[in-house]
Amino acid sequence: MKTAETSTSLPQGFIDEMQTLSGMDSEALLVSLGKSPEVGVRLNGRKRSSVSFDGAEPVKWCPAGLHLRERPAFTLMPELHSGAFYVQDPSSMIHREIVSRLASAPSVLVDFCAAPGGKTTAAIDALPDGSVVIANEFESSRVGALKENLTKWGYPHVAITNSPTDAFRALSGQVDIAMVDAPCSGEGMMRKDAEARRQWSVGLVAQCASLQREIVADAVETLRPGGYLVYSTCTFNRVENEDMLDWMAEEFGLDSVDMGFPEEWGIPGGLSGRPAYRFMPHKTRGEGLFVGVMRKPEGSAAASHRKIRFNQRGPGLPGTDLVHSPESYLFSAYGNVLKAASPLLCSLLDMLPKKTRIVASGVDIGERKGKDFIPSAALALSNAYRRGALPEVEVSYEEAVAYLRREPAALPPDVPRGICLVCYGGLPLGWVKNIGNRANNLYPQSWRIRMNR
């Protein structure tokens, strides 16, 4: 079969594979892979912002999602840095809807393959307040972006880890929802990522499937009876998708969950009789994505009881007054640094092997330096911060961009001396220390805007 000219740069083995998928309009699919990718943003459900995008259209399966007509200079939008929105492929926003349907009460969620954080933040927005999230990423090179994105999103009950997934077997029976956005052959990314086209091979598909089974086995072990596994890939073949769900059912006795998505969303079902969902770029406004939800039977091995540490606040610790509802946190002082985390999150992290690398947990409150207590950049962006605890100054767009470039800040004369919170559009960006004739910019060096693009 002859394919459109736009698909000639696709690997021939991939083209042949797509033509063998039953019920698939392979010609239309291959043509769609030669078109421009969709651009989407998802608004932060816990941060109210007036940010708007001209000509944006709603994403059918995500109330907080928007399709954009073109890609703006996101880096120069202060709202991005304040965590008001996340730039995300519209297809991947389905995780917000899935988690909202699965979590009717505060839950424990582990994202086993979390970087750069798009699906994790989508899940966070869907979880009831009081839920805790552990976001793990095996690749150390990707952890920095994950930490920055989750910090800016602002949900305080999150830990970030950088470990092999087998470390989480220590959480056996503790997890309500496990998300596995599995490393895959990347077929669904071929129209936005030339590397996905270059690296594709039949051997890569088999290699990915082997790794996916290892990760899934670790994730299943963590689930409580009745817990859910949300499995996804950004690829099209059956080996990494429907065949993987079949293997989960046969190997672990997991049951498929029909999410009941409406037909008008245009999400084709799976290629087998098992409930699953395919985002195909010739049918939906987004990149290629496969997602299936599996449930651990109630009759499986009983979950052990979660250990809960009693919340104890160190008397007189500086910085505890900067957090609202401090009774819901466990505060810990490490030298001059103060941290806060929910007791449940602390309990879960205590269960992990000592070799587990915990990159971040809860909220960094700040650090005592001499006679001063300097609040952390993470606290400024966290929903845990008690607004009004320190003076605030609202800045213009030009001033906000200059602040994000880490340039010296010029404040109005009526701003009090000392630590002040810089805000744009009503949302915090970070701290400055006002010393009168000038203000020291305390925005993290690693986050500063470096290019005008």
Side-chain angles (χ1 to χ4, degrees):
M1 177 175 109
K2 239 175 138 181
T3 56
E5 195 171 311
T6 53
S7 67
T8 54
S9 61
L10 296 169
Q12 186 59 48
F14 166 72
I15 294 174
D16 296 340
E17 177 191 54
M18 292 301 98
Q19 293 170 356
T20 66
L21 293 180
S22 61
M24 181 75 66
D25 186 347
S26 57
E27 176 71 14
L29 170 61
L30 295 171
V31 169
S32 73
L33 294 179
K35 298 180 179 179
S36 298
E38 287 283 330
V39 180
V41 298
R42 181 173 40 77
L43 305 180
N44 190 329
R46 289 184 173 89
K47 291 189 176 182
R48 302 295 179 184
S49 168
S50 59
V51 64
S52 61
F53 300 87
D54 292 339
E57 299 178 24
V59 175
K60 294 179 181 179
W61 47 87
C62 181
L66 297 171
H67 295 280
L68 304 190
R69 291 188 302 187
E70 57 187 7
R71 188 178 186 89
F74 287 122
T75 302
L76 294 179
M77 295 184 66
E79 298 92 344
L80 174 69
H81 303 276
S82 67
F85 68 88
Y86 189 95
V87 183
Q88 186 175 35
D89 166 49
S91 298
S92 295
M93 298 179 192
I94 192 64
H95 282 71
R96 185 183 189 276
E97 179 66 21
I98 289 173
V99 172
S100 72
R101 296 186 180 206
L102 300 181
S104 58
S107 303
V108 173
L109 182 147
V110 177
D111 190 345
F112 283 81
C113 311
K119 295 180 178 67
T120 315
T121 55
I124 286 171
D125 273 7
L127 288 168
D129 286 340
S131 299
V132 300
V133 174
I134 300 176
N136 181 66
E137 175 54 46
F138 174 72
E139 295 291 343
S140 298
S141 61
R142 307 185 71 200
V143 171
L146 175 64
K147 182 180 179 182
E148 180 177 346
N149 288 332
L150 292 184
T151 298
K152 291 180 175 179
W153 206 245
Y155 187 67
H157 307 311
V158 176
I160 301 167
T161 57
N162 172 214
S163 290
T165 55
D166 62 1
F168 295 91
R169 286 179 168 266
L171 300 183
S172 179
Q174 304 297 311
V175 176
D176 300 299
I177 302 173
M179 296 201 324
V180 176
D181 185 39
C184 68
S185 56
E187 297 165 352
M189 296 291 104
M190 283 187 174
R191 73 174 177 181
K192 66 185 297 186
D193 186 357
E195 179 63 16
R197 299 183 181 213
R198 187 198 65 78
Q199 70 176 6
W200 188 92
S201 70
V202 174
L204 177 62
V205 171
Q207 179 182 344
C208 289
S210 177
L211 177 59
Q212 289 156 6
R213 284 190 288 270
E214 292 180 15
I215 297 172
V216 165
D218 294 333
V220 170
E221 176 62 26
T222 70
L223 289 175
R224 62 166 174 82
Y228 297 96
L229 173 65
V230 182
Y231 176 82
S232 59
T233 71
C234 56
T235 203
F236 299 124
N237 65 78
R238 286 195 57 146
V239 173
E240 299 175 72
N241 294 328
E242 286 87 356
D243 291 355
M244 196 62 61
L245 299 188
D246 290 342
W247 175 79
M248 294 179 206
E250 295 166 5
E251 185 75 12
F252 306 108
L254 302 189
D255 301 317
S256 292
V257 178
D258 189 341
M259 299 305 298
F261 295 146
E263 289 187 13
E264 56 264 30
W265 286 2
I267 304 169
L271 301 180
S272 66
R274 190 178 299 280
Y277 307 94
R278 282 180 171 265
F279 289 76
M280 310 298 287
H282 62 294
K283 291 180 176 289
T284 51
R285 294 181 63 183
E287 303 313 297
L289 178 77
F290 173 90
V291 62
V293 180
M294 306 292 283
R295 186 172 184 267
K296 194 171 189 177
E298 291 283 359
S300 52
S304 57
H305 294 291
R306 291 172 182 156
K307 298 188 299 180
I308 303 294
R309 289 168 59 178
F310 289 104
N311 183 26
Q312 297 177 341
R313 293 195 292 133
L317 283 176
T320 57
D321 60 327
L322 301 179
V323 177
H324 66 71
S325 302
E327 68 279 357
S328 62
Y329 294 92
L330 175 68
F331 289 88
S332 303
Y334 298 89
N336 292 327
V337 176
L338 181 68
K339 297 175 177 286
S342 78
L344 176 55
L345 183 59
C346 292
S347 175
L348 293 169
L349 295 178
D350 281 349
M351 296 180 184
L352 295 176
K354 291 184 178 180
K355 66 179 181 180
T356 307
R357 184 184 176 218
I358 299 174
V359 177
S361 61
V363 183
D364 287 348
I365 304 300
E367 181 178 5
R368 175 170 286 284
K369 293 185 176 181
K371 296 181 179 180
D372 296 329
F373 183 82
I374 309 299
S376 74
L379 180 65
L381 296 163
S382 176
N383 295 322
Y385 175 64
R386 182 172 64 84
R387 293 293 296 270
L390 291 169
E392 300 185 6
V393 56
E394 182 76 16
V395 299
S396 67
Y397 170 78
E398 291 76 15
E399 290 168 333
V401 172
Y403 174 78
L404 295 167
R405 288 187 177 127
R406 216 169 180 273
E407 296 173 2
L411 303 180
D414 59 340
V415 176
R417 294 195 180 197
I419 302 297
C420 298
L421 184 64
V422 176
C423 301
Y424 176 78
L427 290 180
L429 292 174
W431 308 104
V432 294
K433 183 176 181 180
N434 185 20
I435 57 177
N437 59 335
R438 60 185 175 86
N440 294 333
N441 191 328
L442 302 181
Y443 196 67
Q445 181 75 21
S446 60
W447 290 359
R448 71 181 179 89
I449 294 177
R450 291 176 171 81
M451 292 179 154
N452 292 338
R453 65 175 185 181

